[in-house]
Amino acid sequence: FTDELVNLTLKNNVFFFIFAIIAAFPVIKLLKKLYVKVCKMGKKMATAAYVVKGIALAGLLFLSTSMLAGQAYNPFIYFRF
């Protein structure tokens, strides 16, 4: 049904497909409501929510950086040589 190029493309873009499936549902809206509810519970819970938010953002930064660095061929690196 598929050849090697299709399989390779699917394997390289699996994160995008997973993100697209998750983004198709109202997950962000539910997470915002949960975040606001937790922040209203008290100072300790609000601090924990801020820490979890920071860790999640740092994780997204790491994931995006590793995906950019993982692409082996970039013609712009060799443009000046």
Side-chain angles (χ1 to χ4, degrees), residues 18-81:
I18 292 170
F19 178 75
I21 291 169
I22 292 171
F25 297 99
V27 176
I28 301 297
K29 189 181 289 186
L30 293 173
L31 287 175
K32 276 186 181 180
K33 286 181 183 179
L34 180 66
Y35 180 73
V36 169
K37 184 189 266 187
V38 167
C39 285
K40 289 181 181 179
M41 287 182 174
K43 189 171 182 167
K44 287 185 180 182
M45 290 299 285
T47 305
Y50 289 134
V51 169
V52 169
K53 181 180 175 183
I55 291 171
L57 291 175
L60 285 173
L61 177 66
F62 176 75
L63 180 66
S64 62
T65 304
S66 64
M67 288 182 72
L68 283 173
Q71 295 181 2
Y73 177 71
N74 188 351
F76 298 109
I77 294 174
Y78 308 108
F79 182 70
R80 299 183 108 191
F81 297 109

